[in-house]
Amino acid sequence: MERNYAIDYVKFWAILFIVCIHTKPFKGAMVLGVEGDDIHLLINTFARFGVPFFFVGSGFLYGQKLLTSGNQKEYFNRYFLKLVKLFIYWYLFYILYGLVIRIVNAFGEGSSIGAAILEYVDSFIGVEEFVLFLVYGDAGGPASYHLWYLPALIWSILTVFVFIKRNRLNVLLGISLCLNLFGLLGQTYAGIVDWEFFNSNVTSRDAVFFGLFYTTLGCSIAYHYKWIRQKIAQVHSSVFVLLVVVFSITQIGERVVATMLWSEEIKGVDFYLSTIFLTLSLFLFVIKNGHIGKGSILAKVGKNAVGIYVAHTLFVDLTFMILDSYEVGLRQTVVFHLLFTPIVVVLAYLFYSLVQFIKLEIKKRFEENW
């Protein structure tokens, strides 16, 4: 299959909106007389296509590699190990970051630093904590909430490979779709059935109810690539653009209705029924227009979107912590909300690039000496 530049191009916009979810643009501000919270709700809801697109894109490229690899098991092992290492590295990074924050806070409050360290370490010990680590990548720190994506992708990739080896990918697609729909009852539609299965520790934002379906969908598209290309060949690209717009609107509608009906019962707003159709329409557009973004700086940045993803919460948390500590009123200004998100994206990209450079230099020095 030819290289698809549009995937990286759209990944740039996906990571931009994912960062928006955490930077909370316009929340608490007034924009030309309009409540910033209303604008924030629209952005926050529309942005929910970002993570599903990451899963679909990863599943698609994973499926491509499996199809073209001479040794599927060898490629799976390499890719699986790469994801595990990425997760462990950043998990440890955010543990250290959380430890530093605990020490700084204890020092500022004049309390025992040793007691703060012991309390922090104790929060990682236990069977429940180990399960949370395996499923949600919970590092217990103030900026590690986004790491759930990596274990979700790891478990999804493993499950997809098992079903592929048994020639049951289509079966997995059906099963994972049912699980995703069931997972809505632990998210936006928690008000329909109040099950204790989903609680503060067990959410449906994981591999089973979220990542598995979108990863399987992407892999299935790769395995039926030629057939899909033939089917959409006569469909104008504007149709897919229109569908993206329509399902973005219905996604916002779902959130508004759910908020009106079950404001107290909602346990998360990470995905919706419309998210499935929105993500699929967007990815079909990407398949049809693979040339979009070729040679673009945005596609280059989007190619390293995972780096921005793992690093961006560091800068979000530090900024909010500093502003709150010194009671700076920047968070109420429109200028701050316009600039904060792109600045975080740039800083995260540069920081991740620096980390990669340092890692390569250390590896190079190690190989030279040994």
Side-chain angles (χ1 to χ4, degrees):
M1 304 177 199
E2 69 277 9
R3 177 171 176 78
N4 190 304
Y5 299 93
I7 292 179
D8 291 334
Y9 182 75
V10 176
K11 278 169 65 178
F12 167 81
W13 295 106
I15 191 60
L16 179 66
F17 279 103
I18 289 173
V19 174
C20 280
I21 293 174
H22 300 139
T23 56
K24 301 179 173 65
F26 304 113
K27 187 174 179 61
M30 290 291 294
V31 184
L32 300 176
V34 179
E35 286 287 344
D37 287 357
D38 294 333
I39 300 175
H40 168 258
L41 183 142
L42 295 176
I43 296 174
N44 183 276
T45 310
F46 172 75
R48 298 298 164 172
F49 81 90
V51 174
F53 186 86
F54 272 15
F55 278 119
V56 174
S58 296
F60 177 75
L61 297 175
Y62 175 60
Q64 280 191 326
K65 290 292 186 179
L66 288 178
L67 285 169
T68 56
S69 174
N71 189 325
Q72 289 189 343
K73 185 176 181 181
E74 181 183 349
Y75 170 74
F76 164 76
N77 289 336
R78 283 190 284 111
Y79 184 49
F80 187 80
L81 180 60
K82 178 182 177 182
L83 290 175
V84 171
K85 288 166 62 177
L86 179 67
F87 169 52
I88 295 298
Y89 290 156
W90 286 94
Y91 177 82
L92 294 176
F93 173 84
Y94 281 106
I95 282 183
L96 292 176
Y97 171 72
L99 179 61
V100 170
I101 296 300
R102 290 290 185 102
I103 293 174
V104 171
N105 288 339
F107 179 79
E109 296 169 359
S111 56
S112 172
I113 294 178
I117 294 175
L118 289 176
E119 181 184 359
Y120 185 63
V121 173
D122 187 61
S123 66
F124 299 101
I125 301 175
V127 176
E128 182 178 352
E129 287 74 12
F130 182 68
V131 172
L132 291 176
F133 160 74
L134 290 178
V135 179
Y136 303 111
D138 188 1
S144 61
Y145 46 82
H146 66 312
L147 290 182
W148 69 270
Y149 168 76
L150 293 176
L153 181 60
I154 289 168
W155 289 115
S156 298
I157 288 296
L158 174 61
T159 306
V160 168
F161 183 72
V162 170
F163 274 78
I164 285 177
K165 296 303 290 183
R166 286 160 177 73
N167 198 28
R168 292 291 185 272
L169 185 60
N170 291 338
V171 174
L172 180 61
L173 182 62
I175 294 173
S176 61
L177 173 59
C178 293
L179 289 171
N180 182 266
L181 296 176
F182 177 76
L184 285 172
L185 299 176
Q187 283 277 319
T188 313
Y189 293 99
I192 295 179
V193 180
D194 187 17
W195 288 333
E196 294 185 1
F197 176 79
F198 295 113
N199 52 51
S200 59
N201 289 330
V202 180
T203 72
S204 56
R205 190 184 64 176
D206 58 9
V208 176
F209 300 106
F210 191 3
L212 182 59
F213 167 66
Y214 288 105
T215 305
T216 307
L217 177 62
C219 193
S220 297
I221 291 174
Y223 268 69
H224 301 88
Y225 184 72
K226 290 184 178 180
W227 179 81
I228 293 174
R229 283 293 300 267
Q230 291 174 354
K231 292 297 181 181
I232 67 175
Q234 303 304 318
V235 181
H236 198 276
S237 297
S238 60
V239 174
F240 296 114
V241 173
L242 178 61
L243 289 174
V244 169
V245 173
V246 169
F247 291 122
S248 296
I249 294 173
T250 58
Q251 186 171 254
I252 294 171
E254 285 185 64
R255 181 167 182 174
V256 171
V257 171
T259 301
M260 292 172 58
L261 296 179
W262 312 296
S263 59
E264 299 298 325
E265 290 85 0
I266 292 177
K267 297 176 180 175
V269 289
D270 296 289
F271 60 106
Y272 307 82
L273 180 61
S274 299
T275 309
I276 298 173
F277 304 102
L278 167 58
T279 307
L280 180 58
S281 300
L282 181 58
F283 206 78
L284 290 177
F285 173 82
V286 164
I287 288 178
K288 187 174 177 64
N289 299 275
H291 62 283
I292 292 179
K294 184 177 182 179
S296 167
I297 184 65
L298 299 186
K300 180 182 178 182
V301 175
K303 188 176 181 180
N304 295 292
V306 68
I308 299 174
Y309 182 87
V310 294
H312 78 278
T313 55
L314 170 68
F315 299 99
V316 174
D317 186 70
L318 282 173
T319 302
F320 286 164
M321 185 167 52
I322 292 172
L323 293 180
D324 292 341
S325 297
Y326 292 94
E327 298 183 355
V328 179
L330 283 177
R331 293 177 70 172
Q332 283 72 48
T333 66
V334 175
V335 174
F336 171 81
H337 289 283
L338 287 173
L339 297 179
F340 185 40
T341 300
I343 288 175
V344 167
V345 170
V346 172
L347 289 176
Y349 178 80
L350 294 176
F351 180 73
Y352 182 78
S353 299
L354 176 63
V355 170
Q356 295 302 106
F357 174 77
I358 293 175
K359 186 175 73 173
L360 290 175
E361 285 297 308
I362 293 175
K363 182 180 179 180
K364 181 179 177 182
R365 297 288 178 87
F366 181 82
E367 291 174 348
E368 289 175 354
N369 294 329
W370 292 90

